[in-house]
Amino acid sequence: MPLIILLFFLFPSLSLSSLSELPALMALKASLDPKNQFLKSWTPHSDPCSGAFEGVACNDQGRVANISLQGKGLWGEIPGTVAELRSLTGLYLHFNSLNGNIPKELTTLSQLTDLYLNVNNLSGEIPVGFGNMPNLQVLQLCYNRLTGSIPIQLRNLKKLSVLALQYNQLTGAIPATLGELKTLTRLDLSFNKLFGSVPAKLVEAPMLKVLDIRNNSLSGTIPQVFKSLGGGFQYENNPNLCGVGFPELQVCTASSEGWDPNRPEPYQPGNFSANSFPNSTSNHSTKDLPESVNLESNCSGAKCSKPSKSPQIGVVLGVTGLFVAFVVSGLFSFSWYRRQKQKIGSTFDPSDSRLSTDQVKEVYRKSASPLISLEYSNGWDPFAKGSGGFSQEVLESFMFNLEEVERATQCFSEVNLLGKSSFSATYRGVLRDGSVVAIKCIAKTSCNSDEAAFLKGLKMLTSLKHENLVKLRGFCCSRGRGECFLVYDFVPKGSLLQYLDIKEGTDLVLEWATRVSIITGVAKGIAYLHGSKGKKSAIVHQNISAENVLIDNNYKPMISDSGLHKLLADDIIFSMLKASAAMGYLAPEYTNTGRFTGKSDVYAFGMIIFQILTGKQKITQSVRQGAESCSFEDFIDQNLAGKFSESEATKLAKLALLCTHESFNHRPSMECVVQELSGLVM
């Protein structure tokens, strides 16, 4: 306390209330940004409530009420001292790289309404103390590494509307008591390791609109009451679930449900007893059970005879016989397989797949599945059931042979490597006709495991044709390499990213007219994606960024990776989103809804406008303020040395502000944006 009083006299601008919370904020910074890279504005000599602390907002009493640090690149553990911020109502730390456990002290923040810790690397169990937070409305813990079970204490969160726990490693059963939450609208438990039945009581939550339990190990019957949720109920990829009237599920049978049709949980070894069958006689309850099941008996030891060993001997002999039969059968199968492989090898060698383009087309004419059955790796063959919905014309136009891809890239030589990401590598290549291409290699482990969805996405990519989109030349999926290759036109002048943060006097400084042209071209490309004409449906890009805007020799912008998310696994998509959030492209409403819309792309486009106007990658609050007040020196690139149109700059600044409006309802459609840009004097 003496230290606080001393600081108060040294820095009279500090309010006593905010000063008392300063140590907790500095401890938070020390833990999450130990190298002082991202929270430089957090200093021990500033008032947190003066607006100097980035991401910190205070209430009328001068207390810290909101901390918004999403997508800042923070790492480290959340310190327990955050609990000293007693008036905190919103804590937004999502889309960072935080690790360690969720501190139990955090659950003592009784005023907290919104807690966003999603898309980090947090581990450990979910603190049971969350059940003691009476005002909590949104609990976002998804996309972490949390383990353990879902605390039953969450039933006490009477104001909770969103509970998002997907993509963790949670185990155990789904607490039926979550159905007692009267304000719950969204419950997402997908992509965990939950088991047991799906409690019918969940539907008793009167406001529930979305229930997602996909990709767990749940079992038993899905009650009919879940039909009331309509499309809001998602349950796929739980192999042991069954039910009537659910398209993705098989009708329940006795074997799929266990011994008691009214009990959805599967019986486990050791659970069988006479009490399990209360309405059965002794003979009826045992005649259908394997002899290894040891049922409890009511007889005394004196009256019961010792069990015979002959059944046990029979079991041993039976198992031995089956083993011998299995070995013999395996030898015959292997011999047959070798003969068949030799027959196939006499025509084509599947492991080599060295077929020329002409051979590919010839094979296609003879088979509904040309080359494809030879080109795909075992266990991942999207075309195994035919042409995947592609017409012969499309297949002949877009299908590349592995030999062509290898020849174009000189067997994927490092000399031709253009770049790498967490899920792909891109190589420069030259085709036989001399045209230069960029070949994106994606490992099958990064691709959508749903082959039907993968093929649908691939088909969609072939339909995209616009002057401001990078053209897809074709594709190939290799058996030997276990990769999918997307062959695009090569765009020579790199990405827009390399034209940002340029030092004065370099050749990379873009002229004003070029900047306006690039903005207009990007807008037209996105507007095309969002539109639906003929057989083309509307598409949301989801990853508009300076890195994905390529520049050709005439400085025409070309948007890359359009529709790519349709081919990728969910975890890869979210790793991309994490990077997008860190760069400021991710629309704020995504954290609440978990959904992309066309207005999400509009927000990212607005950030692109700001980047082109300022010539900088990072857009600060001062840039936005400069755009609002038309203070050109605050939002126009100094490298232009005043050579720009003030009227155009004013119009573009207003458009950027409108596109990046916090509320998606206030953002214009891309069609309106294109119309607005058409009025610029070029």
Side-chain angles (χ1 to χ4, degrees), residues 467-502:
E467 63 175 343
N468 293 113
L469 300 186
V470 180
K471 180 183 177 183
L472 178 69
R473 296 283 294 270
F475 53 83
C476 167
C477 293
S478 167
R479 171 182 180 132
R481 295 177 63 92
E483 290 178 298
C484 178
F485 305 99
L486 300 177
V487 184
Y488 292 97
D489 277 347
F490 180 73
V491 185
K493 287 192 173 294
S495 74
L496 178 61
L497 195 62
Q498 71 186 57
Y499 295 91
L500 303 178
D501 296 311
I502 299 301

Side-chain angles (χ1 to χ4, degrees), residues 50-358:
S50 66
F53 274 46
E54 181 181 0
V56 174
C58 297
N59 58 23
D60 294 338
Q61 288 75 42
R63 295 289 212 178
V64 175
N66 195 304
I67 297 178
S68 300
L69 298 175
Q70 60 269 27
K72 295 294 184 184
L74 305 176
W75 53 280
E77 299 185 11
I78 303 172
T81 51
V82 72
E84 296 174 16
L85 305 172
R86 306 304 303 171
S87 299
L88 199 64
T89 59
L91 181 59
Y92 305 89
L93 299 177
H94 47 297
F95 287 100
N96 284 294
S97 298
L98 309 182
N99 54 61
N101 296 345
I102 300 173
K104 295 179 180 179
E105 295 87 346
L106 188 64
T107 65
T108 64
L109 293 172
S110 59
Q111 301 301 313
L112 199 67
T113 60
D114 296 348
L115 179 58
Y116 286 75
L117 301 179
N118 45 309
V119 197
N120 280 290
N121 297 314
L122 299 172
S123 55
E125 298 187 357
I126 300 174
V128 298
F130 276 132
N132 300 323
M133 304 179 74
N135 291 299
L136 197 61
Q137 298 176 21
V138 178
L139 181 56
Q140 288 269 6
L141 303 179
C142 52
Y143 293 93
N144 280 291
R145 300 174 182 174
L146 301 175
T147 55
S149 58
I150 301 172
I152 60 174
Q153 289 82 357
L154 297 182
R155 67 189 293 183
N156 300 324
L157 299 177
K158 302 305 181 184
K159 295 183 179 180
L160 192 68
S161 63
V162 175
L163 178 58
L165 304 178
Q166 68 268 29
Y167 282 92
N168 279 291
Q169 300 169 25
L170 301 175
T171 55
I174 300 175
T177 50
L178 293 178
E180 299 174 8
L181 299 175
K182 303 302 182 184
T183 58
L184 188 66
T185 60
R186 178 181 167 207
L187 176 59
D188 196 336
L189 308 176
S190 58
F191 294 87
N192 279 289
K193 301 177 181 179
L194 303 173
F195 55 81
S197 63
V198 183
K201 189 175 180 180
L202 292 177
V203 189
E204 294 181 13
M207 304 295 290
L208 189 65
K209 296 293 186 295
V210 175
L211 173 61
D212 194 340
I213 57 172
R214 290 173 298 161
N215 291 74
N216 280 287
S217 299
L218 300 168
S219 57
T221 305
I222 292 186
Q224 294 288 303
V225 290
F226 284 101
K227 287 185 178 181
S228 63
L229 294 176
F233 179 44
Q234 299 187 57
Y235 50 83
E236 293 82 0
N237 294 327
N238 286 282
N240 294 320
L241 279 182
C242 60
V244 178
F246 297 95
E248 303 294 329
L249 298 181
Q250 295 182 347
V251 177
C252 299
T253 62
S255 60
S256 65
E257 293 186 79
W259 296 97
D260 184 354
N262 296 317
R263 181 180 179 185
E265 299 89 350
Y267 283 88
Q268 300 294 331
N271 286 349
F272 292 100
S273 70
N275 295 330
S276 300
F277 307 93
N279 298 324
S280 306
T281 63
S282 178
N283 291 335
H284 181 267
S285 65
T286 60
K287 67 179 182 180
D288 294 325
L289 295 179
E291 293 180 355
S292 60
V293 177
N294 183 23
L295 295 181
E296 296 177 3
S297 174
N298 292 326
C299 65
S300 63
K303 295 181 180 179
C304 295
S305 60
K306 294 181 178 180
S308 170
K309 293 184 178 181
S310 58
Q312 299 176 11
I313 296 174
V315 170
V316 172
L317 291 176
V319 171
T320 304
L322 285 172
F323 178 76
V324 172
F326 177 79
V327 171
V328 173
S329 174
L331 290 174
F332 275 111
S333 298
F334 180 75
S335 176
W336 176 86
Y337 168 78
R338 292 285 295 178
R339 288 197 299 273
Q340 292 299 111
K341 185 175 181 181
Q342 289 170 358
K343 291 179 182 179
I344 296 173
S346 64
T347 307
F348 301 116
D349 184 354
S351 62
D352 194 16
S353 300
R354 297 294 195 271
L355 301 179
S356 69
T357 308
D358 294 334

Side-chain angles (χ1 to χ4, degrees), residues 435-454:
S435 58
V436 183
V437 293
I439 300 176
K440 185 183 289 286
C441 312
I442 307 174
K444 69 176 183 180
T445 52
S446 299
C447 290
N448 193 332
S449 58
D450 184 339
E451 292 181 353
F454 178 87

Side-chain angles (χ1 to χ4, degrees), residues 364 367-373 376 381-396 398-399 451-452 454-456 458-459 462 475:
Y364 180 79
S367 168
S369 182
L371 172 69
I372 301 162
S373 59
Y376 282 77
D381 186 353
F383 289 89
K385 298 179 181 178
S387 61
F390 288 85
S391 66
Q392 177 175 345
E393 180 183 0
V394 170
L395 271 178
E396 290 188 349
F398 285 90
M399 177 61 70
E451 292 181 353
F454 178 87
L455 283 172
K456 186 177 180 181
L458 199 56
K459 188 175 181 180
T462 64
F475 53 83

